[in-house]
């Protein structure tokens, strides 16, 4: 690893993921010479503390503010990412983008370091895309099994936290319970329907084939990240009244059968995965316990009783950490650890 | 249908399902000459109103209280069902049992009227078993598709309401939110872990193959109800902080492909099923809306993008109604409608 400290920018600093970037960069001891925070005109002027220093959020504008920036972590929605990509990257900064704007672009790598870290070095547009949260935590667990025998099909049902819809959505969920407790009508603004005491089988908008965009992200992004064009994923994505960790019930079918022991050992040895699986002791990952944790937790590992080539398990990951900010920072760490020279001439 | 009114007993009258029996029997205009209520020594003496009349709960004992009873709806746990089956049935009463005690016994039919109503006529022990709630709502939706082409495999992830653990569990969930709102530690007695803001990937105890008993009920009961020994079901059963309707994300694979149109029409025409499926208008069933509804609601119907022979959909049903009390009453209604003569000599 080179020891140079980097000039880092966070775009969308006031959002749930932006705030997590501040925490994760510090926790991960990321080598920063200067941190710049950017946001909308609404959040401009707000200040946040990073490593003991107050940093004021600047308004994101089409100017030369990114001139000496080495890495920009962007999380301000796909529209903002599209509009400002040129401004952010034109002087040489690497933009690690949390939105869906560029994920499927052929000249933009889509990276989960444990799966395809090396793809991060092929950045003709100086952009690296951070995958969708549900996809990240799934592929981290699929990778070690796919290495044993190629995975052909995946069925996945998600139990997605409110955090995926942002900080205001998390607050709305808490407020709904308070309102219901007082006998009032709950406020419904951030989700299509009341989420308290409910589950909503829709995340993102619907596409023509009956799947939502969120479900098609799991289909398309998994193929790209895993370099597995024949690996098909059928997802049902469901919002549940949980604060910030996503859970997924997964079935996968491999070309050759994988024994339970082999699968367990592969997952135990996999980077970024913690196997937390002892049914007799009622040990399995749950979103309440996994919130704020870095790794992806796997439990309920068992053979798929419907297929000799099938396995089933349950995976839980913090949506804002590994599902967003942490994975983006890990991409930068992977690049540093593998010799990337950042800076104007470092690309 | 014969017009005779029946002497009916409810065993476990004070429980969540017992209370629902009182409502469902009335709603369904079930022909009752006399209603008897039975319970534990703890609930004996409590009285409930049925059709304007107060009925006092009697303690369930080994005596001749069931002498003239035509139908006994029992929902007091498997232990009680096993202990009292002989007492209840020995004079000729038909016991329609909501517990898991006899479901897999070869000489006890396991019945969902829309699927295998005729099985209810083969009762050598005077016992008919009511299936597990998650299985009932699934098979009602599988049946019309299985009639078009036999289903080979099912993957199902459940989102199960607190009601499945009884009335006290529902109260505990509400209390947990109140306690958390006051900044207190939540009470955890009815579930293994805090359910508020959480999901728990365990319903019932674990078996040796890594599946829970609840999941193996879906595997075994589906085969029996549908007369389909080769139809395999792999389930992941998850408790979610919802009050009383269960949701299920289902993938199924049939021997021959079924077109989306054909599947939709079959479900629309199926007894007991309501297709509520218009993604463009954000219409899909949700547990908050389906609580207290009689039918099973199907939405999110689409082709399984991983298999030409696959379909996927989302099904929601009230756990206490179609998942328990209503199905049991419908079994009795089916028998009446098809000429069953109840009473001592009617078997």
């Amino acid at each position: 690893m080179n020891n140079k400290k980097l000039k880092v920018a966070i775009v969308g600093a006031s959002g749930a993921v932006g705030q997590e970037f501040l925490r994760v960069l510090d926790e991960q001891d990321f080598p920063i010479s200067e941190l710049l925070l950017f946001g909308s005109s609404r959040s401009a002027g707000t200040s946040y503390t990073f490593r003991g220093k107050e940093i004021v959020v600047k308004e994101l504008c089409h100017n030369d503010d990114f001139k000496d920036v080495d890495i920009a972590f962007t999380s301000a929605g796909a529209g903002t990412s599209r509009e400002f990509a040129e401004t952010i990257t034109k002087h040489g900064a690497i933009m690690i983008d949390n939105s869906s704007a560029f994920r499927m672009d052929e000249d933009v790598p889509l990276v989960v370091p444990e799966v395809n870290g090396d793809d991060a070095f092929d950045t003709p547009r100086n952009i690296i895309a951070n995958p969708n949260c549900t996809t990240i935590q799934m592929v981290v667990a699929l990778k070690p099994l796919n290495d044993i025998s190629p995975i052909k099909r995946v069925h996945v049902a998600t139990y997605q936290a409110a955090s995926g819809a942002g900080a205001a959505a998390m607050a709305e969920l808490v407020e709904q319970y308070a309102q219901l407790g007082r006998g009032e009508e709950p406020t419904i603004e951030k989700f299509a329907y009341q989420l308290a005491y409910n589950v909503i089988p829709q995340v993102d908008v619907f596409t023509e084939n009956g799947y939502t965009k969120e479900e098609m992200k799991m289909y398309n992004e998994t193929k790209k990240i895993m370099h597995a064009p024949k690996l098909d994923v059928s997802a049902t994505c469901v919002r549940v009244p949980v604060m910030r960790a996503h859970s997924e019930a997964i079935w996968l079918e491999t070309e050759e059968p994988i024994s339970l022991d082999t699968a367990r050992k592969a997952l135990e040895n996999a980077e970024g995965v913690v196997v937390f699986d002892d049914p007799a002791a009622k040990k399995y990952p749950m979103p309440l316990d996994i919130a704020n944790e870095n790794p992806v937790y796997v439990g309920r590992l068992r053979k798929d009783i419907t297929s000799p080539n099938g396995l089933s398990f349950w995976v839980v990951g913090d949506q804002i950490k590994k599902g967003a900010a942490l994975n983006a920072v890990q991409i930068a760490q992977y690049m540093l650890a593998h010799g990337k020279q950042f800076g104007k001439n470092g690309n």
Side-chain angles (χ1 to χ4, degrees), chain A residues 264 275-279 283-285 298-302:
Chain A
R264 189 177 302 276
V275 176
F276 185 73
D277 186 23
D278 183 358
K283 283 190 181 175
Y284 32 72
V298 171
R300 300 289 330 264
L301 180 65
R302 58 210 194 276

Side-chain angles (χ1 to χ4, degrees), chain A residues 5-317:
Chain A
K5 290 198 172 179
L6 304 176
K7 188 164 173 178
V8 172
I10 299 173
V11 176
S14 298
V17 175
Q19 290 292 298
E20 196 67 31
F21 270 119
L22 286 166
R23 283 186 288 270
V24 168
L25 287 169
D26 188 41
E27 276 172 23
Q28 294 290 313
D29 213 9
F30 198 80
I32 295 177
S33 58
E34 187 182 355
L35 181 65
L36 305 177
L37 304 181
F38 294 92
S40 63
S41 58
R42 212 182 53 238
S43 71
T46 318
S47 67
Y48 299 102
T49 306
F50 180 74
R51 293 182 181 165
K53 204 181 137 194
E54 288 281 292
I55 306 174
V56 178
V57 177
K58 291 185 75 172
E59 185 177 349
L60 183 65
C61 296
H62 290 293
N63 56 23
D64 288 332
D65 277 351
F66 290 84
K67 199 164 177 228
D68 300 313
V69 167
D70 294 302
I71 301 179
F73 296 105
T74 55
S75 184
T80 301
S81 288
R82 275 194 205 93
E83 186 185 342
F84 287 91
E86 174 66 15
T87 296
I88 292 168
T89 60
K90 67 181 175 189
H91 300 289
I94 292 286
M95 172 177 175
I96 303 185
D97 183 40
N98 195 51
S99 84
S100 62
F102 309 110
R103 285 180 191 152
M104 298 313 296
D105 290 5
E106 277 189 20
D107 50 2
V108 172
L110 183 67
V111 179
V112 177
E114 296 90 336
V115 181
N116 65 331
D118 289 349
D119 288 358
F121 285 88
D122 183 19
T123 55
R125 289 164 67 187
N126 284 359
I127 302 172
I128 298 169
N130 206 38
N132 187 46
C133 47
T134 51
T135 308
I136 293 175
Q137 71 180 65
M138 181 171 77
V139 296
V140 169
L142 295 186
K143 165 73 161 59
L145 303 171
N146 192 62
D147 285 347
I148 300 169
S149 174
I151 297 170
K152 296 191 295 182
R153 304 165 60 187
V154 172
H155 287 157
V156 53
T158 71
Y159 301 67
Q160 294 183 228
S163 57
M170 297 165 78
E172 180 169 300
L173 177 60
V174 174
E175 182 58 18
Q176 286 184 350
Y177 285 111
Q179 290 167 322
L180 290 165
R182 294 191 299 264
E184 298 167 12
E185 276 293 302
T187 305
I188 301 167
E189 284 173 0
K190 298 298 169 189
F191 299 106
Y193 300 98
Q194 177 185 325
L195 184 58
Y197 295 117
N198 199 15
V199 306
I200 305 175
Q202 179 186 1
V203 179
D204 210 330
V205 299
F206 282 96
T207 71
E208 287 206 344
N209 64 6
Y211 287 82
T212 61
K213 269 196 182 175
E214 182 87 351
E215 290 160 0
M216 291 311 295
K217 285 174 194 168
M218 296 189 84
Y219 178 85
N220 290 310
E221 294 183 16
T222 302
K223 289 174 187 285
K224 180 168 176 175
I225 299 163
M226 295 186 69
H227 301 177
K230 290 184 180 170
L231 195 175
D232 291 331
V233 176
S234 174
T236 299
C237 289
V238 180
R239 188 78 67 190
V240 298
V242 159
M243 289 304 275
R244 60 175 279 168
H246 287 352
S247 307
E248 300 176 1
I250 292 174
W251 290 262
L252 62 88
E253 195 173 312
T254 49
E255 284 186 10
E256 302 297 324
I258 302 177
S259 79
L260 205 51
D261 269 0
T262 305
R264 189 177 302 276
K265 277 185 195 123
L267 285 163
E268 283 170 350
N269 293 329
E271 215 187 327
V273 173
V274 171
V275 176
F276 185 73
D277 186 23
D278 183 358
K282 293 189 184 176
K283 283 190 181 175
Y284 32 72
M286 291 183 292
L288 201 61
D289 297 334
I290 301 314
N292 285 300
E293 294 280 331
N294 288 341
V296 161
Y297 284 75
V298 171
R300 300 289 330 264
L301 180 65
R302 58 210 194 276
K303 290 293 284 186
D304 178 352
I305 204 167
T306 76
S307 161
N309 290 19
L311 289 166
S312 183
F313 57 85
W314 172 256
V315 59
V316 184

